[in-house]
Amino acid sequence: ADSYRVNNFIKGEKKDSADVVRLLQQYNRWPTWMWGNYEVASLVTWLNANNQNKAESKKTGFYGLDVYCLWESMTELLPYIRGKDATLENAANKVHQCFQPFSADAQEYALAVANSAADCRKETNRLWNAVQKFTAGTKQQEDHFVMQQNALVALNGERYYSAMATGSSESWNIRDHHMAETLKRLLDLHGTNSKAIIWEHNTHVGDARFTDMAREGLVNVGQLARKQYGHENVFIVGFGSHSGTVIAAEQWGEPMKNMTVPPAIHGSWEYILHQLSATDKIILSKDIKDVPHLKKSIGHRAIGVVYHPQREHLGNYVPSLIHKRYDAFIYLDTTKALRPIPIPVKPEPPDTYPWGT
């Protein structure tokens, strides 16, 4: 829902950077800095300018893939259905009533599910089916797409938070399957010649089959996209650095800090690239697939929004077959932390990141 407002903004009349900063302050869910930063503001400003004087069908869009905004999606859905269909409106009201006791706090809902005190699965299923029925047989338009997507976020968001309460890996897979489903829906909406650039953490886009995620039964968007569209139609790019600074927090929900990223540990992917030369690089996987010592898994650093630089040897590195996990890798020898926009924080339940970071 938050990103769809950015989509409407960049497709609208030309705005200045101050308007963009105000727009990005809507990203008030922790970690606010991930989208609410001046680097993203520069991108959104550029996209808005680039879309000017283009036909509507040729404009670049900006869409969110995730499940987190369950309550916001329900709020966004209501204007689309109010007064249009009694069954649909009743189904939406039932979902609102079911979630209302939890004060828009998904963590409270997850705890209630764990204690068998809540279950809104039936209501979200009924809403999704009602939206599907209401839009069936009509030409797919963006307003119908948005209606469906908000109902889908409610459906899969409920499943995600329920699974999160059990502590199983299922919640990760629900989330990444939802993102892959949303990608397919967006490509279908925009036609056979449409293309998408997905901006996510390496752990979501780098093919999970070539990491130790596979042993845990975890899938991700990169893996699902390759299977859905064919390896030749998907190009996965990883990112990493040897050292520098990053914005992160020590625990989920805690204040952000500008942290120093220590030099990559000996033998890791980032260490190898630094030893070659302390310069930025673009590595194409086809050029390194026959390098003997890269044919086995090596450590590849994963820095999340929760990060502990002092624990580098205790789990910040993901064993990876680099040339199979990615099609290319952008290496920045020294990175500099992004510049967050000051935004009051709205609480958000923990991410189900596979390695707890």
Side-chain angles (χ1 to χ4, degrees):
D2 296 337
S3 294
Y4 191 66
R5 283 189 281 275
V6 177
N7 175 71
N8 291 338
F9 182 96
I10 66 171
K11 291 179 178 177
E13 62 186 41
K14 190 168 185 182
K15 299 289 184 71
D16 62 24
S17 56
D19 292 319
V20 176
V21 170
R22 283 192 291 272
L23 172 73
L24 295 183
Q25 287 175 333
Q26 69 176 319
Y27 285 108
N28 61 355
R29 192 182 297 105
W30 195 97
T32 59
W33 67 88
M34 189 156 51
W35 293 108
N37 61 69
Y38 289 101
E39 285 71 24
V40 169
S42 295
L43 172 64
V44 173
T45 302
W46 183 88
L47 287 168
N48 172 247
N50 190 59
N51 274 338
Q52 300 305 307
N53 304 317
K54 286 187 176 181
E56 197 65 30
S57 61
K58 298 295 183 182
K59 291 183 177 182
T60 303
F62 189 102
Y63 302 93
L65 296 182
D66 222 331
V67 296
Y68 281 148
C69 60
L70 192 159
W71 273 268
E72 292 88 342
S73 284
M74 287 305 304
T75 301
E76 294 288 322
L77 177 62
L78 289 177
Y80 287 93
I81 65 176
R82 191 171 284 121
K84 293 180 180 176
D85 182 272
T87 302
L88 187 56
E89 198 165 345
N90 180 61
N93 287 333
K94 291 285 187 184
V95 173
H96 265 288
Q97 290 166 15
C98 191
F99 284 118
Q100 194 171 21
F102 310 103
S103 306
D105 187 330
Q107 195 162 13
E108 275 193 33
Y109 175 71
L111 289 171
V113 170
N115 295 323
S116 302
D119 185 355
C120 296
R121 181 72 50 86
K122 185 189 298 182
E123 285 76 10
T124 55
N125 274 323
R126 187 183 294 121
L127 174 62
W128 171 244
N129 290 332
V131 169
Q132 290 288 84
K133 185 177 179 180
F134 180 76
T135 56
T138 61
K139 185 177 184 296
Q140 180 70 298
Q141 298 171 330
E142 191 150 310
D143 60 340
H144 283 171
F145 175 89
V146 174
M147 184 191 302
Q148 293 170 357
Q149 190 63 29
N150 283 316
L152 188 64
V153 168
L155 179 76
N156 288 332
E158 190 281 331
R159 292 178 62 222
Y160 170 76
Y161 292 121
S162 293
M164 190 178 73
T166 68
S168 71
S169 61
E170 184 189 0
S171 58
W172 173 274
N173 287 347
I174 289 170
R175 186 176 168 212
D176 276 55
H177 273 289
H178 170 83
M179 292 192 280
E181 182 179 2
T182 300
L183 171 63
K184 182 179 185 306
R185 284 171 42 75
L186 283 165
L187 291 171
D188 289 346
L189 174 69
H190 290 93
T192 54
N193 293 321
S194 58
K195 297 180 182 180
I197 299 172
I198 303 171
W199 183 270
E200 290 190 284
H201 194 281
N202 285 340
T203 314
H204 288 294
V205 296
D207 194 322
R209 292 171 294 184
F210 304 105
T211 73
D212 62 349
M213 293 172 68
R215 288 203 306 269
E216 303 295 325
L218 299 169
V219 300
N220 68 1
V221 175
Q223 172 185 345
L224 295 171
R226 278 178 169 175
K227 291 176 71 175
Q228 174 82 39
Y229 307 107
H231 199 298
E232 69 280 6
N233 293 314
V234 177
F235 197 85
I236 300 177
V237 183
F239 288 84
S241 64
H242 176 257
S243 59
T245 56
V246 67
I247 299 293
E250 294 178 346
Q251 298 294 335
W252 193 274
E254 289 192 359
M256 60 186 171
K257 294 181 178 181
N258 190 319
M259 298 183 180
T260 298
V261 177
I265 64 173
H266 187 275
S268 67
W269 173 235
E270 291 80 3
Y271 174 86
I272 292 169
L273 294 179
H274 178 73
Q275 291 300 110
L276 287 173
S277 65
T279 58
D280 298 345
K281 306 171 180 66
I282 297 177
I283 311 293
L284 298 179
S285 294
K286 65 182 178 63
D287 295 336
I288 62 170
K289 62 183 177 65
D290 295 323
V291 177
H293 64 276
L294 295 181
K295 290 186 176 183
K296 62 180 181 179
S297 287
I298 58 173
H300 169 27
R301 181 153 53 190
I303 298 177
V305 292
V306 173
Y307 178 52
H308 300 101
Q310 70 278 16
R311 301 181 194 171
E312 281 286 278
H313 291 78
L314 300 177
N316 286 343
Y317 288 79
V318 181
S320 304
L321 285 170
I322 298 293
H323 67 284
K324 292 188 176 181
R325 185 177 179 183
Y326 307 112
D327 295 296
F329 193 85
I330 294 178
Y331 171 78
L332 305 173
D333 194 65
T334 304
T335 49
K336 186 176 180 182
L338 52 75
R339 298 164 295 152
I341 296 169
I343 303 172
V345 182
K346 175 182 177 181
E348 181 64 18
D351 189 359
T352 52
Y353 196 76
W355 296 275
T357 55

